[in-house]
Amino acid sequence: MQRTLLLILGCFISFSLCAQNKIVQGTITAKDDGEPLTGVTVIIQGSTKGASSDLDGKYSIELAPGENVLLFSYIGYETQTVEVNDRDVVNVILGADVKLLGDVVVVGYGTQRKSDLTGAVSSVRGADLTKVTSQSPLQALQGKVSGVQVTSTSGAPGANPIVRIRGVGTFNNSSPIYVVDGVILDDVSFLNSGDIQSMEVLKDASATAIYGSRGANGVIIITTKEGKAGQPATINFEAEYSQQFLAKKIDLLNGAEFANYVNQITPGTYNNLDVVPNTDWQSLIFHSAPMQNYHLSVSGATDKSNYYVAVGYFNQQGIIENSNYERLSLQMNNSFNITKNIKVGNNLTFTPFDRQNTADATYAVYRAQPSIAPFNADGTYSEVPGVGNPLAAISYTNDFERGIRTVGNVFGDVNFLKAFTFHSSFGVDVNYHENRTFTPVFFVSPQQQNEINDLFVGNSHSLTWLWENTLNYKKSFGIHSVDVLAGYTTQNSSSEFISASGQNILGGTKNLWYLNADNIVPTSINNGVDPNLNYSLISYLFRINYSYHNKYLLTATYRRDGSSKFLNGNRYGMFPSFAAGWNIINEEFMKTIPVITNLKLRASWGIIGNEKISYLDQYALVSNGIGAVFGTNEILLPGSTFGKTGNPDLKWESTKQTDIGLEIGLLQNHLTTEFDYYHRVTDDILVELSTPGYFGNGEGVKVRYNAGSVLNRGFEFTIGYSNDLGGFHYRVGALGSTVHNEVITIGGNSGVDSVLIGGNLGNGQTVTLSSIGHPIGAFYGYEVNGIFQNEGELSSYPHQALAGVGDLKYVDLNNDGVINSADRTFIGSPIPTFIYGFSLEGSYYGFTLSLDFQGQAGNKIYNAKEAVRPDLYNFEQHSANYWHGEGTSNYEPRPSSGGINYDPSTRFIQDGSFLRLRTATLGFTLPKTISEKIKMRETRIYLRGTNIFTITKFTGYSPEVATEDVLSSGIDFGGYPVTSIYSIGVNFTF
């Protein structure tokens, strides 16, 4: 009985003590946008007990008797001290603190405060992406992120730029991957910039290793918009109208100058220079063209749901006739709180498009003889030797594309046990594409004609699905904070295409452009798959972030990927990374240095991979479509033979990268700086090498091996200063990055090659050589050392057999007295050694002005359009200063239309450095009092110029010259010119 009473008394006392404790909970949101804040530290004043807010900004903490004050702290926001008193629910709104850096950035499979980052991550706001008038949001990255080179390779409507992050690390596909709302993609041409909330560029191994096999070339994470918490329905409408203009004409010879030049080659060709026509083909072909962009969105959020729906329309007419691009985009993002702990949602994008491609007119415009009138006396197109009449080529070209791209995912989040979140997402990328090209019957000349009309039809489709499952544990234990992520993902990609051609089509209108049994060409039928789009991946990932007292940071990441592109022995690759950070600013001794408001040191090391090759490279292939004539009737019979040898021992490329970074904030973070040094080596590069003759493949057949290594290293910096002077707010920024690119090994024991030859000009000449100790795709040719001025100089100096007085003098590098291929050397690199940008922004009582500049230096361009001359083409203006006697020129040789003066040499190497005013925007926002009277929350109008001017020594249309083929980059064949664009736009929010 006594024991029972004691037990009851003990339970009563324990119950009484517990009853005196109190559970306090609430939601923490940001003052500026009402968004819930994740990871806010909540500490009971006078103790080390604490908690942190979850993904929805919610927290819960237990207070003992006498504990009544809570401290809410979050980097970048003002710390709040709140008395609880008798309340059980304490909701807190934190305002931004300009004294601290506290941006929340998106990283792989989650978000982090910038102060907790140990990797090199750069963020670009969605508002900055709409500052550039373009169909691709990637073009807005030009000059905005250190370490990132974005090259606008063409001004053709719908053309996509090429992106390189921290140099070129492989001989294969060097483009980064893109992660749009969790879906991993190879391009983002379908996205409308107006739908993007933010874009994060992950550059070092600590940031990209979570993507394992695909992170070697960098990762760009794109987050699309959603409704803001507590925000009523908001409608936003943007409209922009633009005019495009040829940014620069190439300075070519006019009719009389061309005729005079030709007379030096073949005397008497033109007898009267005064009557020679003077046709400016560039003025005939290029003209101004409109561009339109409209975007309408509706967004909002309640306690139970969040929505963002937008429709966009983009239409770009080309500055060359019969070229245009039209795109409609529909974005639908929704999320629903099913219960307190369960949320489901979707992010979906639908993008149908139409595109018309013109003839390769720029090729002909550059080369067409100016001494020929464009039309004959009867109004028909005139004959233009060599290249054909550019106007006729455009008129008779009917090349149309259309398709639809669907990208998106559905997801679910389950929060349990306060610190755990399970996330599951299923994403798809569905692409359908159709191409239809019709050429009518026409005759301009024997060289430019089509005797029978013909039609090409091609259809392709691809489907990629990605299923990802992650479990996240996030919790603070007083001064300790941990964030653990584990996950499993699987991905599958498939594709198919079919194409065929026909002749004698019934008519020339679109509704008759179809194939049937009466007009199809049986041998033209082609059906297959894209070997780069047929594969499967399975992955396991793990990451842990640890923070001690918000001073010392540790990150460890591990991912294991298995790919069907490799056989069983090498199917799986392991990709670890480690990083550490030190928030020096939070040390006690830093409190005595008030001028420094942020100071952080970080370092990382890791291994990431690349597998962007065809899955067929591992197999030996049979070559089909080989015909032979046999029998008494001598008919053509189809045949097959042994083709390319496969390599079953292929394995992942692996990139080891080290990064050391320093972040500094001064003067209450009015001045911010960030510096990084990176060292990146890619090993086991998948290289196509020549095979020994006994393989039986035949001459020139390549087999892929893991047989190359490449180094990229350099420095990056970003500097920004912002301040307010009364009503005037301004910001200046600058960034830059250096790139040292070098081939370390090629071949080894895997093949017979020690170099990779590239840069095929199409005339039997190659102009790039990738060799140990030099950059990838370096230009390779003769060094020019002047011009032979007289017979004595010619006879005393080594020269080629056909060389004469007035020809180029090539350097005899090996001093053997003979000029031949052994005297070719490295004459420049297409990879810039320095990429930079700077910006100026200012606002004053509703007026805003922003200027963005970009540039690069240290790279060379090979002027192939001038070097390749199988026929008598026009010449650039500098050719008029040709050698015509001793001492008249030492750099322009005597007139010729071919021969030794057109061998690959420094004659055709030009400086690719440039500085460009990328954008200039002048805007005005109506005062709120006026906007409210017209029932608007905000009304803004602006004027904008894009690609306003470019300072460069390059004589071509644009110094931005690049291709996806890294072995042939920087060679200018004269593509579709990049345009200058002038726009007027309005933005209404209501």
Side-chain angles (χ1 to χ4, degrees), residues 104-115:
V104 174
V105 298
V106 179
V107 296
Y109 302 95
T111 60
Q112 270 189 291
R113 295 180 299 177
K114 185 167 176 58
S115 62

Side-chain angles (χ1 to χ4, degrees), residues 716-852:
E716 299 173 354
F717 69 87
T718 302
I719 301 174
Y721 181 82
S722 61
N723 205 349
D724 288 282
L725 299 176
F728 177 62
H729 172 78
Y730 66 94
R731 184 186 183 279
V732 295
L735 57 88
S737 55
T738 66
V739 180
H740 173 83
N741 180 271
E742 180 182 342
V743 176
I744 300 175
T745 61
I746 299 179
N749 296 324
S750 301
V752 299
D753 300 65
S754 59
V755 298
L756 293 178
I757 299 173
N760 192 334
L761 300 184
N763 63 347
Q765 295 178 343
T766 57
V767 294
T768 74
L769 192 70
S770 299
S771 179
I772 296 173
H774 299 276
I776 291 178
F779 297 123
Y780 195 73
Y782 296 109
E783 285 188 6
V784 175
N785 186 26
I787 292 174
F788 291 111
Q789 299 293 329
N790 50 57
E791 288 291 345
E793 187 175 332
L794 177 66
S795 61
S796 64
Y797 192 92
H799 60 273
Q800 294 157 301
L802 297 178
V805 175
D807 288 332
L808 294 177
K809 184 193 299 183
Y810 296 133
V811 177
D812 180 17
L813 286 179
N814 59 4
N815 295 314
D816 64 353
V818 177
I819 300 296
N820 54 29
S821 60
D823 295 303
R824 293 178 65 178
T825 186
F826 292 95
I827 54 178
S829 169
I831 301 175
T833 56
F834 184 57
I835 305 167
Y836 63 94
F838 56 93
S839 60
L840 307 169
E841 298 178 12
S843 61
Y844 184 75
Y845 291 111
F847 288 93
T848 60
L849 175 64
S850 64
L851 303 174
D852 293 304

Side-chain angles (χ1 to χ4, degrees), residues 430 440 528 741 982:
V430 183
N741 180 271
Y982 297 92

Side-chain angles (χ1 to χ4, degrees), residues 356-415:
Q356 183 178 7
N357 303 303
T358 190
D360 189 10
T362 52
Y363 178 93
V365 165
Y366 177 86
R367 295 165 173 82
Q369 298 180 11
S371 56
I372 297 176
F375 299 99
N376 297 315
D378 59 358
T380 59
Y381 293 112
S382 62
E383 177 180 354
V384 179
V387 295
N389 191 307
L391 293 171
I394 294 172
S395 176
Y396 296 128
T397 297
N398 300 279
D399 184 358
F400 296 90
E401 297 178 64
R402 66 178 181 179
I404 185 169
R405 182 94 176 267
T406 301
V407 176
N409 67 350
V410 292
F411 64 87
D413 292 330
V414 179
N415 299 318

Side-chain angles (χ1 to χ4, degrees), residues 143-158:
K144 291 290 186 183
V145 180
S146 63
V148 177
Q149 180 189 15
V150 181
T151 306
S152 300
T153 58
S154 172

Side-chain angles (χ1 to χ4, degrees), residues 36-38 55 74-77 101-125 197-204 207 211 221-223 474 483 543 545 600 602 663 674:
L37 294 176
T38 303
L55 292 174
Y74 192 60
I75 295 296
Y77 291 80
L101 289 176
D103 297 332
V104 174
V105 298
V106 179
V107 296
Y109 302 95
T111 60
Q112 270 189 291
R113 295 180 299 177
K114 185 167 176 58
S115 62
D116 291 341
L117 277 177
T118 55
V121 180
S122 297
S123 299
V124 180
R125 299 174 305 164
Q197 179 65 35
S198 67
M199 186 181 292
E200 271 78 23
V201 182
L202 282 54
K203 297 182 284 188
D204 73 333
Y211 292 102
I221 299 179
I222 297 176
T223 304
K474 192 171 187 178
D483 186 350
R543 180 178 63 209
N545 293 312
K600 178 181 174 183
R602 50 180 168 76
E663 301 172 18
E674 190 167 344

